[in-house]
Amino acid sequence: MPPQPKRKHSKGRRDRRRAHDALQAANLTACPNCGQMRLPHTVCPNCGQYKGREVVEVEKEKKK
Ligand SMILES: [Zn+2]
């Protein structure tokens, strides 16, 4: 049997621990080519471009 905590932490201590647990919204920037919001330093998932004209991935038109 592993070592166990000697006593329960107080509500205040628990809440202080959780003070840094909040999620933050992702940092989004507008794609300079198509204007759609995307994560910085990533290939745009909408138009497949990165750093101007450099086409890294060719994406097909949406087919349904
Ligand atoms: Zn784009």
Side-chain angles (χ1 to χ4, degrees):
M1 204 157 99
Q4 295 295 322
K6 193 165 188 178
R7 56 177 60 88
K8 183 177 181 176
H9 283 181
S10 68
K11 295 170 195 171
R13 183 166 172 159
R14 177 203 65 197
D15 294 346
R16 260 179 278 138
R17 181 179 68 240
R18 293 178 184 174
H20 303 281
D21 289 357
L23 291 173
Q24 289 203 332
N27 183 27
L28 295 175
T29 56
C31 172
N33 183 55
C34 65
Q36 175 164 311
M37 299 306 282
R38 60 162 175 77
L39 291 171
H41 312 295
T42 59
V43 174
C44 176
N46 188 49
C47 62
Q49 294 207 12
Y50 189 69
K51 291 237 173 185
R53 302 166 193 155
E54 194 176 329
V55 178
V56 182
E57 296 175 6
V58 179
E59 298 204 358
K60 298 291 181 183
E61 297 290 326
K62 289 179 183 175
K63 291 177 181 178
K64 270 194 176 179

